[in-house]
Amino acid sequence: MDIIEKRIKDTKVAYAQFKGSYNQIPDHMQEVGEWVMDEGLKMTGMVYGSYFNSPEEVPEDELEYEIGFSYDGDLKIQEGKLGYKEIPEHSVLAAIHKGPYTNVGPVIHALAEYADKNGYDIVGPVTEVYLNDPSQVSEEELLTEVRFPVIKMG
């Protein structure tokens, strides 16, 4: 697995926060995508999930995450189901996972271990950027870029 450090440019996103089983994520992705389209936003291609805790830490019904889509245009006032924010430019450690979303755990652990061993401080939640569409490719062909926001120490 190749782990790289890279800069992520400022990105405007529309998102929704959820609590509960990760099994609901595909439905939540579709739901948030429909809300974004209903708002008339011009999507720019990034679909992501940020995960604030893990099944290793909390029971399934306490898992917290946000699902979002990048878009182009003005930031909107938060009203209704969607939140809007600009994610500022930042550095990440990233690696690509190929295969089912449910098998991404080892990549997350490898990135965290790499950060620890190489003098990086993880400064935010793990984010998975979904690079292709599960309705168009098989589970084995799914591509996910796993990212940890980091600061290089010392």
Side-chain angles (χ1 to χ4, degrees):
M1 163 185 2
D2 291 331
I3 295 175
I4 61 167
E5 178 184 349
K6 67 181 191 175
R7 294 290 290 172
I8 304 300
K9 300 216 177 291
D10 292 352
T11 309
K12 284 184 250 169
V13 297
Y15 67 94
Q17 294 189 334
F18 298 96
K19 188 171 185 176
S21 171
Y22 288 166
N23 294 333
Q24 299 171 334
I25 290 172
D27 292 337
H28 291 322
M29 289 173 97
Q30 184 168 348
E31 189 176 31
V32 174
E34 288 171 3
W35 294 340
V36 168
M37 288 187 288
D38 289 348
E39 288 288 314
L41 300 175
K42 180 183 174 197
M43 290 190 255
T44 57
M46 184 178 84
V47 179
Y48 74 94
S50 288
Y51 301 91
F52 302 107
N53 53 19
S54 131
E56 298 166 4
E57 302 167 338
V58 300
E60 185 177 58
D61 63 336
E62 292 181 23
L63 292 169
E64 295 181 15
Y65 51 96
E66 85 181 28
I67 303 296
F69 289 73
S70 63
Y71 72 93
D72 192 24
D74 294 330
L75 275 180
K76 294 179 150 252
I77 294 174
Q78 298 196 23
E79 56 185 54
K81 300 171 186 161
L82 288 175
Y84 300 92
K85 64 184 174 183
E86 185 164 346
I87 300 171
E89 184 173 334
H90 61 287
S91 292
V92 299
L93 289 178
I96 300 292
H97 166 70
K98 184 175 182 180
Y101 298 143
T102 53
N103 295 348
V104 77
V107 176
I108 294 169
H109 289 290
L111 279 169
E113 186 175 307
Y114 181 92
D116 185 52
K117 288 183 177 176
N118 290 280
Y120 289 92
D121 191 16
I122 296 173
V123 295
V126 64
T127 296
E128 297 175 8
V129 177
Y130 306 107
L131 303 177
N132 52 12
D133 185 338
S135 69
Q136 297 179 359
V137 300
S138 70
E139 266 199 335
E140 292 72 33
E141 296 300 313
L142 289 171
L143 295 174
T144 305
E145 183 176 64
V146 181
R147 301 175 177 172
F148 271 113
V150 294
I151 296 174
K152 180 79 169 160
M153 303 307 287

